[in-house]
């Protein structure tokens, strides 16, 4: 069986330092070696790869095109190794930083208000919450767990269903007091329908579910996050279709009203997604157990 095709890791480390400083002298100082030793290691790497990584002109050096390509690859790889090393050291006995990739509005309105109980139970764990709602990549985003909306289809991960989604039509009270109050499904044709960019078919799903015809509808703004959709509806930019649990405070305060009593099950659910590679880390196991317990 063929082994890995890898150059000397010491040469790789030296090349990255030289490329970062654009100097053999400064790289040698960081690595605590002589300048000639650093130069020899980079030369050996070039000979192994059979491509020049630097152009050398008197006292100046500059990365070649091949050198720039290889430097990006090496830098990213060393960053991952360093991050993994720090993580393992800091994760002893459950300590360290838990990084959560979070849907922005779900995080702000549902998870964050509940996190004090987790922090109180596990003060040794630091929390790092980042906005994350695109394609899920644990390595690239450097996250331990994520919360996503979908249908439970994520590879190389442990997927736990959290909750479904109940959606309803809401608008500003100003629209109900205007020339065309929303008193029937047909009334919607006088108003702009606000759309969520990651849920482009939500309105079609709602019209089918309530048995209404979507004719002559006007489209309002398309927005990326639910908190933007909520604010657009509050401002009177149109009629919105929103998950009930995200707008409970707005409905209680009266900044949003519901023209219809219909509450429809949304086409999907929220899931906790845990990186399979990190699932046994103490801090990850503690958070997963705590979050699922919140829904028990």
């Amino acid at each position: 069986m063929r082994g890995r095709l890898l150059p000397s890791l010491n040469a790789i480390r030296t090349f990255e330092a030289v490329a970062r400083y654009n100097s053999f002298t400064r790289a040698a100082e960081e690595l605590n070696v002589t300048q000639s030793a650093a130069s020899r290691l980079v030369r050996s790497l070039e000979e192994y790869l059979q491509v020049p990584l630097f152009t050398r002109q008197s006292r100046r050096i500059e990365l070649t095109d091949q050198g720039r390509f290889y430097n990006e690859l090496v830098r990213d790889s060393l960053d991952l190794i360093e991050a993994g090393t720090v993580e393992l050291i800091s994760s002893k006995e459950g300590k360290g930083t838990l990084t959560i990739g979070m849907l922005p509005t779900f995080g702000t309105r549902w998870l964050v208000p509940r996190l004090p109980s987790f922090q109180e139970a596990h003060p040794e764990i630091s929390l790092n919450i980042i906005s994350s709602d695109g394609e899920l990549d644990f390595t690239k985003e450097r996250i331990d767990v994520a919360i996503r909306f979908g249908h439970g289809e994520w590879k190389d991960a442990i997927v736990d269903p959290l909750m479904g989604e109940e959606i309803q039509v809401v608008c500003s009270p100003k629209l109900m007091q205007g020339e065309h109050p929303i008193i029937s499904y047909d009334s919607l044709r006088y108003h702009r329908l606000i759309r969520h960019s990651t849920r482009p078919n939500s309105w079609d799903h709602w019209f089918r579910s309530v048995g209404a015809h979507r004719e002559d509808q006007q489209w309002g703004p398309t927005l990326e996050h639910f908190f933007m959709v909520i604010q657009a509806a509050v401002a009177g930019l149109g009629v919105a279709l929103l998950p009930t649990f995200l707008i409970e405070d707005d409905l209680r305060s009266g900044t949003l009203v519901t023209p219809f009593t219909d509450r429809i099950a949304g086409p999907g659910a929220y899931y906790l997604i845990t990186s399979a590679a990190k699932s046994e880390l103490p801090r990850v196991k503690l958070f997963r157990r705590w979050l699922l317990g919140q829904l028990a």
Side-chain angles (χ1 to χ4, degrees), residues 106 110 149 161-165 245 268-271 295:
F106 183 94
W110 192 88
F149 184 86
L162 295 179
M163 65 178 74
E165 188 176 74
F245 78 94
Y270 291 91
Y271 292 86
L295 301 162

Side-chain angles (χ1 to χ4, degrees), residues 12 34 115 123 148 152 173-174 182 220 231-233 242 276 281-282:
I12 287 284
T34 65
L115 281 178
R148 285 288 196 277
K174 291 183 289 187
I182 305 171
Q231 290 307 116
L242 288 163
L281 289 175

Side-chain angles (χ1 to χ4, degrees), residues 32-288:
N32 198 27
V33 298
T34 65
Q35 180 180 343
S36 60
S39 181
R40 283 196 303 272
L41 283 166
V42 172
R43 283 285 189 192
S44 70
L45 180 60
E46 290 176 315
E47 290 170 4
Y48 181 88
L49 298 172
Q50 297 184 358
V51 296
L53 298 173
F54 293 97
T55 58
R56 297 162 175 84
Q57 298 176 353
S58 67
R59 295 185 178 182
R60 290 182 63 249
I61 62 170
E62 187 175 329
L63 284 166
T64 62
D65 290 341
Q66 297 99 321
R68 278 190 288 272
F69 163 78
Y70 202 53
N71 181 47
E72 289 184 14
L73 182 70
V74 166
R75 184 187 61 222
D76 290 346
S77 299
L78 291 178
D79 284 347
L80 284 175
I81 293 171
E82 182 181 34
T85 302
V86 171
E87 178 174 291
L88 286 177
I89 293 172
S90 66
S91 65
K92 184 180 180 182
E93 298 179 355
K95 296 180 181 179
T97 299
L98 178 77
T99 301
I100 307 168
M102 179 58 54
L103 296 169
T105 312
F106 183 94
T108 302
R109 300 218 170 191
W110 192 88
L111 181 66
V112 171
R114 291 169 169 78
L115 281 178
S117 70
F118 175 79
Q119 199 71 90
E120 183 177 348
H122 305 287
E124 73 282 3
I125 299 176
S126 299
L127 295 175
N128 179 34
I129 302 174
I130 65 172
S131 175
S132 174
D133 59 359
E135 183 178 352
L136 183 58
D137 187 328
F138 287 105
T139 301
K140 185 177 180 180
E141 295 186 85
R142 298 184 183 180
I143 56 179
D144 301 313
V145 298
I147 292 180
R148 285 288 196 277
F149 184 86
H151 301 281
E153 299 172 355
W154 287 276
K155 296 179 181 179
D156 302 321
I158 298 171
V159 180
D160 295 296
L162 295 179
M163 65 178 74
E165 188 176 74
E166 179 186 78
I167 55 178
Q168 63 186 118
V169 174
V170 296
C171 66
S172 165
K174 291 183 289 187
L175 296 189
M176 298 297 289
Q177 298 161 7
E179 184 179 356
H180 298 288
I182 305 171
I183 56 176
S184 67
Y185 300 147
D186 184 61
S187 304
L188 289 172
R189 63 192 177 94
Y190 296 108
H191 302 277
R192 297 184 183 277
L193 305 185
I194 302 170
R195 291 182 287 188
H196 190 299
S197 62
T198 65
R199 313 276 183 91
N201 300 316
S202 290
W203 275 109
D204 288 335
H205 172 75
W206 184 85
F207 276 105
R208 286 195 306 271
S209 297
V210 299
H213 297 290
R214 187 171 69 82
E215 297 178 358
D216 303 322
Q217 296 301 330
Q218 304 178 65
W219 292 115
T222 299
L223 302 165
E224 186 178 6
H225 300 297
F226 270 130
F227 67 81
M228 296 178 178
V229 177
I230 292 169
Q231 290 307 116
V234 170
L237 284 176
V239 180
L241 191 61
L242 288 163
T244 301
F245 78 94
L246 293 180
I247 53 172
E248 291 173 341
D249 290 343
D250 300 279
L251 294 175
R252 276 194 293 267
S253 67
T255 54
L256 288 175
V257 295
T258 54
F260 311 120
T261 58
D262 306 276
R263 294 187 177 187
I264 306 302
Y270 291 91
Y271 292 86
L272 171 66
I273 311 162
T274 305
S275 166
K278 297 182 177 182
S279 62
E280 292 303 310
L281 289 175
R283 67 176 184 274
V284 174
K285 293 171 71 173
L286 289 169
F287 179 77
R288 181 170 174 239

